[in-house]
Amino acid sequence: MKWWFLLAALPLHGQRATLPEFVAGDQCLFCHRNDIGPGWQKNRHNLTVKLKEGSESEYRLGARERKRNLRKSGYGKFAMEESAGGAWDPAKFNDRCAGCHATAVDGATKAFAEFSIDCYACHGVVDLEHTNDTSKILLSKKRGRDPKQIASICGSCHLRGGTSKAKGTPYPLHYVAGDDLFTDFVVDPRRADDTGLNAGDRHVYRNIRDVLENNSDVSCLSCHVVHTGSFERHRRVLTSAACLDCHNESGPKKNVKPYTVKSALCEY
Ligand code: HEC
Ligand code: HEC
Ligand code: HEC
Ligand code: HEC
Ligand code: HEC
Ligand code: HEC
């Protein structure tokens, strides 16, 4: 291995100087089209940015809470419409959104490598040797579940409100799944106690704080199955204070406190 390759590949002062090469989702799905493909077509991670039907340069971000129109504006860049029929902002998507709604954003140019969220965002740099030994790939069944690693991976997008120490962006610089998110991404753990924050965002803060500060072994994956979008398994988790974001202290669990997800960062 050449020394410059090592420099590019290893985190420098906690952050990578550049992003590594990665295998794109199309290639993964060539082999995983039967197990992962069908669910992936409907997965919100895959659909967060979508090419508009019949177009080659018009995209839309979001679907449920709010839709935003995007338009290709150069390599790895989108212009974003402020509101329907409104002005087009040439920089906002890349400056403020791309790190969580696109894949592999370059810190210097803010250009993304792929629109929407690719396999790489959660599985990291995949060794194609994993076909023989699945412990070589992050989040495989053999690899086991390290709650701190999962907190970093999922937290890299779901901790809405964090800031990159190096860049000031609301998303981390050059984060690659498997790295420690918190060398660059600064978040305020007290938001777990902020009752003004909706339970959707608050339970994320709480879970990550429990993992990082109290060594909890409950992770996002104790409750969520990403590829099916199910949270059914959460019913089997031991009752703790974390349940109170959505359930009452006493009484049956079928009582759920209603909440609405809002986000100043995401503008809805
Ligand atoms: C730190 C990561 C992060 C950044 C930066 C970010 N988002 Fe989001 N965004 C998310 C996450 C996570 C969700 C899903 C939250 C949920 O449903 O609980 C989301 C959801 C959304 C949704 C709702 C999607 C739907 O269909 O319901 C829209 C719209 C959105 N974001 C727009 C934006 C825009 C516009 C920007 C930039 C101005 C932006 N986001 C920046 C992480 C981020
Ligand atoms: C948002 C994060 C995320 C993205 C993006 C993602 N995965 Fe996964 N994947 C996971 C998690 C988490 C697991 C572990 C299973 C579990 O416990 O839910 C997993 C498991 C798997 C498995 C093992 C089978 C299984 O269901 O346990 C395969 C194969 C896989 N992913 C392939 C892919 C491919 C191919 C892509 C891209 C098309 C992709 N993943 C994108 C999070 C993700
Ligand atoms: C050449 C075919 C091939 C390609 C390309 C490929 N995989 Fe795999 N993958 C396999 C095989 C074979 C296995 C082991 C059998 C199994 O569990 O499906 C596997 C296993 C996995 C597992 C672990 C499943 C488990 O049992 O826990 C994950 C996660 C995964 N692949 C993700 C990916 C991702 C992400 C990509 C793209 C970056 C990718 N694979 C590309 C063939 C491939
Ligand atoms: C690269 C950014 C990114 C990463 C990494 C990521 N997510 Fe997401 N996630 C999003 C965005 C953005 C949305 C909302 C997409 C939309 O609706 O447009 C979302 C939606 C979700 C949802 C609600 C929709 C559903 O499918 O149920 C869950 C649950 C979720 N993510 C869990 C996870 C977990 C668990 C991990 C870690 C294994 C993870 N995410 C990693 C960005 C990310
Ligand atoms: C103790 C179980 C549990 C843990 C741990 C947990 N979640 Fe959840 N989460 C849930 C349940 C249950 C829901 C469904 C709530 C609903 O639909 O009202 C949910 C909903 C969500 C949503 C959708 C919010 C919305 O309505 O838009 C996202 C995104 C999410 N979780 C991400 C995460 C991430 C990321 C982690 C890890 C940091 C995590 N969750 C940890 C149980 C959990
Ligand atoms: C983010 C919100 C959220 C959190 C946190 C959460 N739950 Fe839930 N829970 C829900 C929602 C929404 C439902 C109703 C949907 C369903 O039945 O899965 C539910 C349903 C349940 C049910 C089924 C109740 C019934 O009789 O139908 C059980 C049991 C349960 N939760 C246990 C727990 C436990 C234990 C915890 C803490 C470890 C927890 N929940 C944390 C949102 C949440």
Side-chain angles (χ1 to χ4, degrees):
M1 198 180 283
K2 300 220 169 55
W3 65 270
W4 50 262
F5 183 81
L6 265 174
L7 269 186
L10 289 172
L12 197 67
H13 307 301
Q15 277 113 248
R16 292 168 185 264
T18 58
L19 282 170
E21 297 273 329
F22 66 94
V23 173
D26 294 349
Q27 283 169 271
C28 312
L29 288 172
F30 183 76
C31 296
H32 289 288
R33 62 185 171 279
N34 293 327
D35 53 351
I36 297 299
W40 193 241
Q41 297 311 314
K42 292 174 249 152
N43 193 290
R44 280 173 54 197
H45 291 100
N46 181 31
L47 298 177
T48 191
V49 172
K50 223 178 135 197
L51 185 63
K52 283 191 182 167
E53 220 165 295
S55 172
E56 273 168 23
S57 57
E58 307 260 330
Y59 297 76
R60 70 124 190 75
L61 162 65
R64 299 187 321 161
E65 306 298 336
R66 191 173 172 195
K67 287 184 208 164
R68 302 296 292 265
N69 290 320
L70 304 173
R71 185 186 284 158
K72 204 181 247 170
S73 68
Y75 174 77
K77 305 253 174 161
F78 279 146
M80 181 165 65
E81 198 179 27
E82 266 311 311
S83 54
W88 285 81
D89 191 312
K92 195 186 216 169
F93 181 82
N94 291 79
D95 286 348
R96 299 199 46 87
C97 325
C100 307
H101 292 280
T103 304
V105 177
D106 182 272
T109 62
K110 303 219 176 85
F112 52 83
E114 309 272 347
F115 70 85
S116 218
I117 298 169
D118 208 336
C119 322
Y120 161 84
C122 295
H123 291 285
V125 178
V126 171
D127 183 341
L128 286 178
E129 288 296 313
H130 77 276
T131 56
N132 301 316
D133 177 2
T134 56
S135 70
K136 288 199 156 94
I137 187 167
L138 276 176
L139 302 172
S140 72
K141 292 184 190 79
K142 260 205 194 155
R143 185 70 169 248
R145 298 278 181 266
D146 172 1
K148 289 199 168 67
Q149 196 170 59
I150 291 160
S152 275
I153 296 173
C154 310
S156 70
C157 300
H158 283 278
L159 285 168
R160 292 192 287 186
T163 311
S164 160
K165 213 185 287 176
K167 285 278 171 184
T169 47
Y171 56 81
L173 169 69
H174 294 170
Y175 176 73
V176 179
D179 293 352
D180 179 358
L181 173 67
F182 304 98
T183 54
D184 175 56
F185 205 48
V186 184
V187 296
D188 181 359
R190 287 169 306 183
R191 299 203 76 196
D193 300 321
D194 177 358
T195 48
L197 191 65
N198 65 82
D201 286 283
R202 192 161 13 103
H203 87 288
V204 169
Y205 273 91
R206 183 181 314 285
N207 176 253
I208 289 178
R209 187 176 68 178
D210 284 348
V211 168
L212 297 181
E213 293 180 5
N214 308 325
N215 286 315
S216 166
D217 59 4
V218 173
S219 76
C220 318
L221 305 187
S222 309
C223 299
H224 291 282
V225 183
V226 168
H227 284 287
T228 62
S230 159
F231 55 86
E232 182 71 29
R233 63 163 73 134
H234 101 277
R235 297 171 171 211
R236 298 196 301 265
V237 175
L238 227 52
T239 293
S240 71
C243 313
L244 302 182
D245 283 330
C246 305
H247 297 284
N248 300 310
E249 202 144 352
S250 56
K253 281 280 192 320
K254 74 171 178 348
N255 295 340
V256 180
K257 300 177 192 167
Y259 67 93
T260 326
V261 183
K262 305 184 281 298
S263 164
L265 172 66
C266 295
E267 304 181 341
Y268 69 87

